[in-house]
Amino acid sequence: FVGIEASRRQHAEARQELQALGLENVELHLGDAAEAGLSLGDFDYIILHGVFSWVDRTTQEGLLALCGRCLTPNGLAYI
């Protein structure tokens, strides 16, 4: 699992939770998901929960471009 969080505070809290739970199959990145690069890999599923409807048009376009770059040929984006 890969997560991208823009908030430093929420990123830090999530990392603490993962450590406390002992979850080792989750990567957390701090930054803007709309600007995430190809280094994230290819995914069968991309979930943009509670984000798309409240960001500006430029960010929406970046998120859709991310889905286009990172989804496998039969992948599914849940927005």
Side-chain angles (χ1 to χ4, degrees):
F1 299 95
V2 176
I4 304 170
E5 177 56 59
S7 164
R8 287 189 187 281
R9 182 184 57 81
Q10 290 178 328
H11 179 261
E13 289 176 6
R15 291 184 67 80
Q16 289 176 348
E17 288 290 325
L18 290 174
Q19 188 175 18
L21 293 170
L23 297 177
E24 297 178 4
N25 63 341
V26 180
E27 291 178 33
L28 290 178
H29 299 272
L30 179 62
D32 185 344
E35 296 177 6
L38 293 174
S39 63
L40 292 175
D42 295 329
F43 298 92
D44 294 322
Y45 300 98
I46 294 177
I47 301 170
L48 298 169
H49 176 70
V51 174
F52 198 82
S53 63
W54 57 266
V55 296
D56 60 57
R57 181 147 183 105
T58 301
T59 303
Q60 289 175 340
E61 291 171 0
L63 292 169
L64 292 175
L66 171 73
C67 291
R69 288 190 311 267
C70 294
L71 276 174
T72 58
N74 291 316
L76 175 71
Y78 179 79
I79 301 173

